[in-house]
Amino acid sequence: MSSEAGFLSPNRSRLSPRSRRLMFILLLTAATILLSAGFTAVVNAAGRGAGSAQERSHSRSQASAPSTTGATDPGPRSGSATAGVPLSTLSPDQLAYFLDGQSRFINVDSVSGTVPGETNGGLGPTFNSNSCGSCHAQPATGGSSPAVNPQIAAASDAGATNTIPGFITESGPVREARFPFLLNANGAVSQTPDGGVHDVFTITGRQDAAGCSMAQPDFAQMQQLNNVIFRIPTPVYGGGLIENIAEATIYANMAANSALKQSLGISGHPNTSGNDGTITRFGWKAQNKSLEMFAGEAYNVEMGVTNELFPSERSLPPASCLFNPTPEDSSNFPASGAAVLSDVVAFSNFMRFLAPPLPSTQGIPGNPSLQSVTNGQAIFTQIHCDMCHTPSLTTASSSFTAALSNQTASLYSDLLVHHMGSGLADNITQGAAAPDEFRTAPLWGLGQRLFFLHDGRATPANGGLLTAIQDHAGSGSEANTVVGAFQLLTQQQQQDLLNFLRSL
């Protein structure tokens, strides 16, 4: 174990002073090149709106081959998952609540709870999938999109008559769709923001939704108008640790290394709640304040289940598609123990007590040496990936459990949102997060992920992790200087960095 864990120590594997000076020269050279080139070769700025930019970048990623430098993403780490398990020091009662939440997380919902094997009710009238665990599945429950997209089966489950849109494929990522703008009366894209999730499927045709007739959104039209963007599931591992990082810690980390960050063009900031002004931290744009809010929104938006936090049905469904009193998920009186909790509260307990993934050098395709992974960790710091992907933050004291108190959370994120430029912009504003701003994605568990970036455009078929790094660059991106430094690394240095990332 020590041979695998030691490479993560922040006090080891630093480059020599001579190497640091050389890297600094390379970084300055990269900055000069980037300022003169403006990344015009990376991002095609033609077209209207960020929806259009995202479609072009998505097409580019789908068509592009892995980097000509010779470095390649090793691919997802094999072997047993190092994630999906509870925090190791939970009490018996806490473990019981974790297991209760986990079992509900993987339940399959139907409309009324009467379909065999789908005993939880509330699905629809619109939905993206029928189980939390179906989408948060890779490499274990709580993760992200699995190798086989569960939306394909959900589309026709229990007799549903949905058409599968082209952006949902069997080997592609689970996706939700959002329309950045409303349409005018003449069918043209307006400047009025929409930004909401438009669920892919409806319950029309299901055996437990007799009489329901509700059309799916016209995704083909929206794609033709370049007015649709996608998001994939975010992993929820270590959610309790993230939730328990004090605001003062996040702000202090933001203020640290200010001169260096300014020279790199990095200027991230927190997203904040419109209710109390405090930092929000969950979701692709850090739009959700807490795990319970995250769970409640997802239950309603992704599965159509109304709950105590989101008690209204979405999308103005016809009366013929409404079968249940609301909220469909609520506290269960007069039950006792864990059974009294609503699903949303149970989900939040599962995520809160879910341990972060453990790093490992075992199972990385190509079997890179420990020295390669160690070198990659040093390079990660040397080219300043760590200025946004902060290796660790310390949690505050927790009233839930000592397992969350004063812990080192090795999440590789600053939990801030950053401008990622026109290539990744989705033209969606959420809270203080602008159309091209996204939360720094935590990297723990990266070693076993299949799809990357908010819309899953970086896949095993088009370069995977390497494509994700390169797509951080674009007009207006805060990552431009760091990506430029990455591009100037030798092939072996790039490979070492990729190997390190696949160890996380």
Side-chain angles (χ1 to χ4, degrees), residues 461-497:
N462 66 18
L465 189 52
L466 180 60
T467 296
I469 293 172
Q470 294 169 334
D471 280 4
H472 275 54
S475 178
S477 172
E478 295 178 33
N480 282 346
T481 301
V482 173
V483 176
F486 172 81
Q487 300 286 34
L488 289 177
L489 296 173
T490 67
Q491 175 183 332
Q492 185 58 55
Q493 288 172 321
Q494 289 186 356
Q495 191 63 58
D496 290 345
L497 179 56

Side-chain angles (χ1 to χ4, degrees), residues 130-142:
N130 54 7
S131 170
C132 301
S134 68
C135 300
H136 294 276
Q138 173 65 28
T141 301

Side-chain angles (χ1 to χ4, degrees), residues 127-447:
F127 64 98
N128 287 321
S129 192
N130 54 7
S131 170
C132 301
S134 68
C135 300
H136 294 276
Q138 173 65 28
T141 301
S144 190
S145 294
V148 178
N149 190 336
Q151 292 176 291
I152 301 297
S156 58
D157 182 56
T161 55
N162 291 291
T163 298
I164 299 173
F167 55 84
I168 302 294
T169 62
E170 186 172 25
S171 60
V174 171
R175 280 185 167 137
E176 67 168 29
R178 293 174 182 256
F179 301 159
F181 300 100
L182 297 175
L183 299 186
N184 289 321
N186 62 2
V189 179
S190 74
Q191 291 296 319
T192 304
D194 177 343
V197 175
H198 293 260
D199 285 343
V200 177
F201 305 127
T202 78
I203 58 174
T204 300
R206 284 182 59 101
Q207 67 188 55
D208 55 353
C212 174
S213 179
M214 186 175 183
Q216 296 169 256
D218 191 343
F219 293 111
Q221 177 194 27
M222 289 300 188
Q223 286 185 291
Q224 189 173 33
L225 292 170
N226 289 321
N227 191 42
V228 59
I229 63 93
F230 310 115
R231 291 192 190 166
I232 68 172
T234 58
V236 298
Y237 301 131
L241 294 171
I242 293 174
E243 188 177 50
N244 204 46
I245 296 170
E247 296 211 357
T249 298
I250 297 172
Y251 279 114
N253 182 63
M254 180 179 73
N257 302 299
S258 58
L260 175 58
K261 290 174 181 175
Q262 184 176 15
S263 71
L264 296 170
I266 294 172
S267 57
H269 64 90
N271 201 348
T272 54
S273 168
N275 294 319
D276 64 1
T278 58
I279 294 176
T280 52
R281 59 193 75 187
F282 297 103
W284 280 106
K285 296 212 172 196
Q287 69 269 20
N288 286 314
K289 170 66 184 175
S290 67
L291 289 170
E292 193 168 336
M293 185 67 71
F294 179 83
E297 182 195 28
Y299 212 22
N300 184 232
V301 171
E302 309 298 343
M303 295 174 60
V305 181
T306 56
N307 55 76
E308 291 169 333
L309 293 180
F310 294 84
S312 302
E313 298 284 8
R314 302 178 64 246
S315 306
L316 296 176
S320 63
C321 297
L322 298 175
F323 295 93
N324 304 315
T326 58
E328 291 156 310
D329 170 52
S330 62
S331 301
N332 302 301
F333 302 114
S336 60
V340 77
L341 303 180
S342 68
D343 286 345
V344 165
V345 174
F347 296 156
S348 65
N349 283 335
F350 165 66
M351 294 185 288
R352 186 172 292 118
F353 295 150
L354 187 60
L358 296 175
S360 176
T361 59
Q362 303 301 310
I364 302 174
N367 193 30
S369 67
L370 179 60
Q371 186 62 54
S372 172
V373 175
T374 301
N375 290 345
Q377 183 184 17
I379 292 168
F380 182 88
T381 299
Q382 203 65 39
I383 65 172
H384 303 305
C385 302
D386 61 339
M387 289 297 99
C388 295
H389 291 283
T390 305
S392 66
L393 295 170
T394 302
T395 67
S397 296
S398 171
S399 62
F400 283 107
T401 172
L404 298 175
S405 292
N406 306 309
Q407 300 294 312
T408 299
S410 301
L411 70 168
Y412 286 88
S413 173
D414 57 10
L415 300 178
L416 306 178
V417 294
H418 296 267
H419 291 286
M420 298 309 298
S422 59
L424 291 179
D426 65 3
N427 237 11
I428 306 293
T429 297
Q430 291 184 280
D436 72 336
E437 288 186 311
F438 294 91
R439 180 189 70 161
T440 303
L443 300 184
W444 52 15
L446 192 75

Side-chain angles (χ1 to χ4, degrees), residues 104-120:
R104 300 198 210 186
F105 197 84
I106 62 177
N107 276 348
V108 178
D109 281 32
S110 60
V111 176
S112 59
T114 58
V115 175
E118 303 178 6
T119 57
N120 221 35

